[in-house]
């Protein structure tokens, strides 16, 4: 019953009664059940389970689902979480530090919300299996979160269309050995483009347009492509 309680907390913290689809007492399309129904919480709309444990929360579509509010820390007890997809909604505040308990999470998609910095180091340090992190189109204002460049499994990082300022931090390419796609477009980053970006052997896509970088392109650009 603890897991069911946690999901109910999430529902009310995220303004569930006003969701566009599958709020309590409504009829869902397909095989999913409406939230807070008598059915197992694993089959409530957008949820998925592994061995009876919640492993996915999906409330993001092209139009979102009118999910609104601050992420409740109670969901951090769902330690078998693999995917959280809440894009195109109205999520506010910051990512809770306790998200670091999601040591198995591989996909965190929160783009087009109203999230702010900081992203706690305590959270980032726990994301040892995270492959995809999409935080574009939020209200991230301030320096680039340097700890994100130490995620050993990260393949896709999108922080575009935010308000990141200052220079891109120095980093060791060996700390982020699997990065394929880095999108920082439409921010307020300044300074020179660090040559270490082009030392990432796996990097395939780099979008740094609509910033205020200056200086010359690094001499090592394209050498390993």
């Amino acid at each position: 019953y603890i897991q069911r309680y946690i999901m109910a907390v999430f529902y009310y913290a995220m303004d569930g009664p006003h969701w566009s689809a599958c709020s309590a007492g409504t009829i869902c399309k397909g095989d999913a059940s409406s939230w807070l129904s008598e059915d197992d919480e694993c089959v409530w709309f957008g949820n998925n389970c592994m061995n009876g444990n919640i492993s996915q929360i999906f409330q993001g579509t092209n139009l979102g689902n009118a999910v609104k509010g601050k992420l409740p820390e109670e969901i951090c007890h769902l330690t078998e979480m693999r995917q959280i997809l809440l894009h195109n909604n109205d999520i506010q505040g910051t990512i809770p530090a306790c998200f670091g308990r999601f040591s198995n999470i591989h996909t965190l998609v929160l783009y087009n919300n109203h999230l702010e910095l900081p992203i706690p180091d305590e959270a980032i340090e726990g994301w040892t299996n995270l492959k995809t992190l999409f935080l574009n189109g939020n209200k991230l204002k301030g320096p680039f979160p340097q700890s994100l460049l130490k995620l050993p499994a990260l393949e896709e990082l999108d922080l575009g269309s935010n308000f990141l300022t200052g220079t891109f931090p120095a980093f060791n390419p060996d700390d982020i050995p699997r990065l394929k796609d880095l999108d920082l477009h439409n921010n307020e980053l300044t300074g020179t483009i660090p040559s270490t970006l082009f030392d990432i052997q796996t990097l395939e896509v780099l979008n740094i347009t609509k910033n205020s970088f200056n200086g010359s392109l690094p001499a090592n650009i394209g050498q390993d492509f």
Side-chain angles (χ1 to χ4, degrees), residues 10 14-15 19 59 64-69 86 89-91 113:
F10 175 82
M14 298 280 92
D15 199 26
W19 289 356
Q59 293 293 330
N65 197 26
V67 177
K68 180 179 181 179
L86 299 171
N89 284 295
D90 187 10
I91 299 173
N113 280 287

Side-chain angles (χ1 to χ4, degrees), residues 27-65:
I27 297 175
C28 284
K29 297 180 180 179
D31 296 329
S33 297
S34 60
W35 278 64
L36 307 189
S37 70
E38 295 181 356
D39 295 332
D40 192 293
E41 63 274 10
C42 292
V43 298
W44 293 352
F45 173 70
N47 292 350
N48 198 6
C49 286
M50 296 178 62
N51 299 319
N53 298 308
I54 293 286
S55 60
Q56 172 187 285
I57 298 176
F58 179 89
Q59 293 293 330
T61 65
N62 290 338
L63 299 176
N65 197 26

Side-chain angles (χ1 to χ4, degrees), residues 5-21:
Y5 166 77
I6 291 170
M7 298 313 292
V9 169
F10 175 82
Y11 175 80
Y12 284 112
M14 298 280 92
D15 199 26
H18 296 105
W19 289 356
S20 302

Side-chain angles (χ1 to χ4, degrees), residues 12 18 24 41 57 72 80 84-85 89 91 102 112 123 129 142 156 159 184 187 207 213:
Y12 284 112
H18 296 105
E41 63 274 10
I57 298 176
E80 295 301 314
I84 297 178
L85 303 102
N89 284 295
I91 299 173
F102 297 146
N112 291 345
N129 290 295
E156 300 176 285
L159 299 177
L184 303 174
N187 277 284
N207 188 351
F213 290 114

